[in-house]
Amino acid sequence: MKLSKKWQILITFIIASVALGGYFWDSALPSLETPLIEILGINTLMYGIFYSVYSIPNIVLVLLAGIFIDYFGNHIALVLFSSVQFLGSFMMVFFFQILGYQKPKVAYYLMLIGMFFFGAGNESVNIVKRSACAEWIDRKYLSVATAIITSTSRLGSIVSFLTTGQVYKATNIIIALWYALIILSLSFIASFTFFLINYIRYKRRIKRKHVIFKEIILSIRKFPVKYWIIIMIMIFGYLPIYGFKSFSNAILIGKWNYSLMDADTLLAVIDMMAIPGTIFIGWLMDYTRMPAWIMMIGSVYAPVGYLILAFTYSPPIWGILLIGVQWSILSAVIWPTISTLVDLKYHGIAYALASSIFNLMLTIMDIIFGYVANIYWLLYTLFTIFSGTTIILSLINLLV
């Protein structure tokens, strides 16, 4: 039984608030990269281990999170994962504050443990927010609700990127870290609000039946062909965009002679476009009920953008705008589509499996992209091939 429209709006706002904090904290760390490296006495490779500790374990951990969601329910899962997320971030701030200046190497290794907990919690929160949205929101509003939650997450990243460094410059790194942690704590509070609303709902309206563990695992075999096609579209569409945002900074500086600040601003255009763009595409999906056509039409933009960037000296903003269009469309279409293909009681494992496969491919392809990053035309050609594959996959998805 779905709730009234007002309650659905409230739930969307609460889930969006939960999602914002993790992205805010995650984006705060790159803003503080230089002072963290200097104070902890580490090099860029050791700093990069923070992200390895975050991403590599989540190839497996998100699967366990998906099973937990389906077995215990979204309300319990969200509180647990938000708690782990907050605990990991608190550990990083606490150990840096008490040991960062006196015993920096000890602080570094303890902060790695904190990053592991944050990563485990944050990626799991990303899964449960989608599952909770699909459970609470009517299908006719699901795409736009999911888009609002996704856009709020990106807004958190952008605001963090713009403000955390400024807080550091105005005060010091400890206050900047606490600033990011306080924002995350608001999301932590929002997760408990969601739990309370769910508790009242389950107690008075619906008695959720636990899904048997074996049934959750076996359900994967019953996922339709379209589910696997959507995952492939996500992989071939998302990977070049993630790679572009990670490795294009130096290319924009070298090929077009942009300053570091201008290059960062250009790359931020992709996410800035996606905030209103994803919401608009989400609304369009709910209005037209034609996600496969929207995905098909949207798949042609990014390949053209990468070709412009690879083989012309046209202002890069034109290619970046085309990439931003596809980024908005993919973000709005993929997750709501998965929710329509899989039974509600298996949403946790469905979202988790998609995230796990993507994280595995991202880990592998980041190495390959990094290897050819100095040859910009080759890197962008790879992006074009990957992104162009989504055109074929989207056509197959339309015909299946």
Side-chain angles (χ1 to χ4, degrees), residues 310-371:
F311 298 109
T312 77
Y313 281 85
S314 300
I317 186 63
W318 302 118
I320 289 172
L321 288 174
L322 291 172
I323 294 168
V325 171
Q326 184 157 335
W327 185 228
S328 301
I329 293 172
L330 288 175
S331 302
V333 174
I334 285 174
W335 300 110
T337 301
I338 288 177
S339 71
T340 64
L341 297 173
V342 179
D343 192 298
L344 178 62
K345 62 183 179 180
Y346 303 127
H347 275 185
I349 191 63
Y351 292 129
L353 183 60
S355 296
S356 177
I357 294 172
F358 176 74
N359 284 334
L360 174 61
M361 292 302 300
L362 182 62
T363 301
I364 295 171
M365 292 310 301
D366 266 350
I367 297 173
I368 296 174
F369 291 154
Y371 184 75

Side-chain angles (χ1 to χ4, degrees), residues 33-228:
E33 176 180 352
T34 300
L36 282 173
I37 288 175
E38 292 176 354
I39 295 169
L40 294 175
I42 59 177
N43 55 35
T44 53
L45 178 62
M46 294 177 70
Y47 181 82
I49 294 175
F50 277 120
Y51 298 100
S52 298
V53 166
Y54 177 104
S55 61
I56 293 176
N58 276 305
I59 295 171
V60 176
L61 290 178
V62 291
L63 293 175
L64 300 178
I67 295 170
F68 187 94
I69 292 166
D70 288 337
Y71 190 84
F72 289 102
N74 293 307
H75 59 309
I76 296 175
L78 187 58
V79 168
L80 175 65
F81 299 149
S82 293
S83 299
V84 174
Q85 178 192 55
F86 181 78
L87 173 64
S89 303
F90 178 80
M91 288 172 63
M92 293 183 73
V93 177
F94 178 75
F95 289 130
F96 181 83
Q97 182 166 355
I98 64 171
L99 296 172
Y101 291 93
Q102 289 78 24
K103 298 180 178 180
K105 284 295 187 291
V106 176
Y108 167 72
Y109 290 111
L110 291 174
M111 288 174 71
L112 285 178
I113 297 174
M115 190 64 166
F116 170 81
F117 280 106
F118 169 74
N122 194 51
E123 288 298 305
S124 300
V125 165
N126 287 336
I127 294 170
V128 73
K129 74 183 183 185
R130 299 180 182 114
S131 179
C133 184
E135 181 179 17
W136 277 82
I137 308 300
D138 281 330
R139 185 161 293 184
K140 62 182 179 179
Y141 306 124
L142 180 58
S143 296
V144 72
T146 304
I148 289 170
I149 292 168
T150 301
S151 294
T152 304
S153 302
R154 288 177 180 155
L155 179 63
S157 292
I158 292 173
V159 173
S160 177
F161 178 78
L162 293 174
T163 62
T164 305
Q166 298 301 317
V167 172
Y168 162 68
K169 291 178 181 178
T171 55
N172 56 60
I173 188 170
I174 293 176
I175 292 178
L177 286 169
W178 277 105
Y179 161 69
L181 185 65
I182 288 171
I183 301 298
L184 178 59
S185 70
L186 299 177
S187 295
F188 181 57
I189 293 170
S191 70
F192 275 91
T193 305
F194 179 82
F195 173 82
L196 291 175
I197 293 175
N198 264 267
Y199 177 77
I200 294 170
R201 177 195 180 196
Y202 285 131
K203 185 176 180 180
R204 298 180 182 176
R205 301 171 69 92
I206 297 175
K207 295 293 183 182
R208 181 187 179 105
K209 294 181 179 179
H210 290 317
V211 183
I212 301 172
F213 175 83
K214 184 178 179 181
E215 184 182 344
I216 298 172
I217 301 300
L218 293 178
S219 70
I220 297 174
R221 298 188 305 179
K222 300 178 182 179
F223 288 173
V225 173
K226 272 202 168 189
Y227 170 83
W228 302 105

Side-chain angles (χ1 to χ4, degrees), residues 246-386:
S246 297
F247 297 105
S248 288
N249 193 296
I251 295 173
L252 292 173
I253 294 172
K255 182 178 178 180
W256 282 279
N257 296 318
Y258 282 104
S259 67
L260 177 60
M261 181 177 295
D262 288 340
D264 286 340
T265 302
L266 270 176
L267 292 177
V269 167
I270 297 175
D271 285 327
M272 293 174 70
M273 276 185 65
I275 292 175
T278 302
I279 296 174
F280 171 74
I281 298 299
W283 170 83
L284 189 64
M285 279 183 59
D286 287 335
Y287 183 77
T288 62
R289 307 291 180 193
M290 301 173 67
W293 277 103
I294 292 173
M295 187 178 293
M296 178 68 226
I297 295 170
S299 64
V300 302
Y301 290 97
V304 177
Y306 295 128
L307 287 173
I308 290 173
L309 292 165
F311 298 109
T312 77
Y313 281 85
S314 300
I317 186 63
W318 302 118
I320 289 172
L321 288 174
L322 291 172
I323 294 168
V325 171
Q326 184 157 335
W327 185 228
S328 301
I329 293 172
L330 288 175
S331 302
V333 174
I334 285 174
W335 300 110
T337 301
I338 288 177
S339 71
T340 64
L341 297 173
V342 179
D343 192 298
L344 178 62
K345 62 183 179 180
Y346 303 127
H347 275 185
I349 191 63
Y351 292 129
L353 183 60
S355 296
S356 177
I357 294 172
F358 176 74
N359 284 334
L360 174 61
M361 292 302 300
L362 182 62
T363 301
I364 295 171
M365 292 310 301
D366 266 350
I367 297 173
I368 296 174
F369 291 154
Y371 184 75
V372 300
N374 291 329
I375 311 173
Y376 74 84
W377 64 267
L378 178 58
L379 178 65
Y380 286 171
T381 300
L382 282 177
F383 292 164
T384 304
I385 293 171
F386 269 73

